[in-house]
Amino acid sequence: MKPDGIAGVQPEPSTNPWLSGLLIGIVGLYIALLLGIPVVNIFYQAFREGIPAFLQHLTERELLSALRLTVLTALVVVPLNTFFGLCAALALAHRRFPGRALLLSLIDLPFSISPVVAGLMLVLLFGRQGWLGSWNLRVIFAFPGIVLATAFITLPFVVREVLPVLEEAGSEEEEAAKTLGANSWQIFWRITLPNIRWGLLYGVILTNARAMGEFGAVAVVSGNIIGRTQTLPLFVEDAYRSYATGSAYAAAVVLSLLAVVTLVAKELLERGSPSRRIF
């Protein structure tokens, strides 16, 4: 005899409601301990003295300088890695060449290497005693070093979001457009870009969030000079060590709100993406 339900379809195994509730409770408690309670504490400490005191901390010169440098770094790094990510994803998706696997491994390197080690590599390359130090390039303890460190850390995000979309879409539409007389730019703007727009936007959002929140690599190459090379994450650490807890928590709230905006944008993109909808 056929099992109950649709012929040939096995019924779903029954689950123990107590076991499901226990697992959900463990997950919820774990998330609350690692994420929920610390975030709530940050907002509580930031607004404990009242909203006027919080707003006063936000207008401090050092905090505004750190915020300005953080935004400027993101404005440089995000377009740079977006352009590189698009070029790399197109090359890897449409072509097979010797060393392709090695190139993919190199792109994924920032995922596996410590950010502090990445900053140290830049110091060894561009520092006064480094391999390129004789060129008299002011990179370390300056804005170019911060940009290089942030660009290295955020390198894989756009590539890794766009590449699977390109591989799934294939090249049939592009080849058909080429046979009809379309040039490379027309193919890219009218076929390739619409197909990858969700993955591209997702990668840009992740790149921006990581660029604004990077600490380890930037701490090594920037020198953490107040008002000059101090980004917002470095400002939080320095203010807390200096017992300026109000300023530290105010800056932490700004970074937390950035994380919330990133999560909201990520959720909206996942809901809007046709390839990620659940039917």
Side-chain angles (χ1 to χ4, degrees):
M1 295 179 62
K2 296 290 184 181
D4 295 337
I6 301 176
V9 178
Q10 296 295 332
E12 295 183 359
S14 59
T15 57
N16 189 336
W18 293 100
L19 179 60
S20 299
L22 178 62
L23 293 176
I24 293 174
I26 292 174
V27 172
L29 179 62
Y30 190 76
I31 293 177
L33 290 175
L34 291 183
L35 297 177
I37 295 177
V39 171
V40 170
N41 180 63
I42 288 174
F43 280 84
Y44 169 76
Q45 296 292 343
F47 291 97
R48 183 178 58 177
E49 299 176 357
I51 296 179
F54 172 76
L55 296 177
Q56 183 179 359
H57 290 307
L58 287 181
T59 57
E60 293 178 358
R61 184 180 61 182
E62 291 81 5
L63 191 151
L64 292 176
S65 176
L67 179 60
R68 190 181 305 111
L69 180 59
T70 301
V71 173
L72 182 60
T73 302
L75 289 176
V76 175
V77 170
V78 173
L80 187 65
N81 274 348
T82 300
F83 177 76
F84 168 80
L86 276 175
C87 294
L90 289 171
L92 291 169
H94 294 165
R95 291 172 176 80
R96 296 295 182 267
F97 51 89
R100 182 177 183 274
L102 177 61
L103 180 58
L104 279 171
S105 300
L106 291 177
I107 291 175
D108 289 337
L109 187 62
F111 283 148
S112 58
I113 194 171
S114 169
V116 176
V117 175
L120 180 60
M121 290 191 304
L122 293 176
V123 172
L124 294 177
L125 281 174
F126 297 101
R128 290 187 176 181
Q129 305 299 325
W131 295 353
L132 304 179
S134 59
W135 292 11
N136 295 323
L137 298 175
R138 186 172 177 80
V139 176
I140 304 303
F141 305 148
F143 179 69
I146 297 175
V147 170
L148 286 175
T150 308
F152 177 85
I153 295 300
T154 60
L155 180 70
F157 290 105
V158 173
V159 182
R160 276 306 179 183
E161 291 299 327
V162 174
L163 182 58
V165 180
L166 284 172
E167 291 178 340
E168 182 180 358
S171 59
E172 290 80 6
E173 294 182 7
E174 297 173 356
E175 292 176 355
K178 189 174 181 179
T179 58
L180 293 174
N183 57 40
S184 299
W185 281 110
Q186 291 174 329
I187 293 174
F188 176 77
W189 286 109
R190 297 185 180 183
I191 297 177
T192 305
L193 188 59
N195 287 336
I196 65 173
R197 64 184 184 275
W198 297 111
L200 177 61
L201 288 174
Y202 194 29
V204 169
I205 288 174
L206 294 178
T207 301
N208 181 70
R210 183 61 188 272
M212 289 191 173
E214 175 55 30
F215 179 87
V218 174
V220 175
V221 302
S222 67
N224 198 11
I225 304 173
I226 299 175
R228 293 179 57 189
T229 62
Q230 189 177 69
T231 59
L232 202 56
L234 298 181
F235 173 83
V236 173
E237 192 258 356
D238 185 67
Y240 190 80
R241 285 176 176 265
S242 303
Y243 300 100
T245 54
S247 301
Y249 283 118
V253 166
V254 175
L255 290 173
S256 300
L257 292 177
L258 171 65
V260 172
V261 171
T262 302
L263 291 175
V264 172
K266 170 181 173 294
E267 181 65 21
L268 292 177
L269 285 178
E270 288 182 345
R271 290 185 179 183
S273 174
S275 62
R276 300 191 184 193
R277 291 174 185 167
I278 300 177
F279 295 94

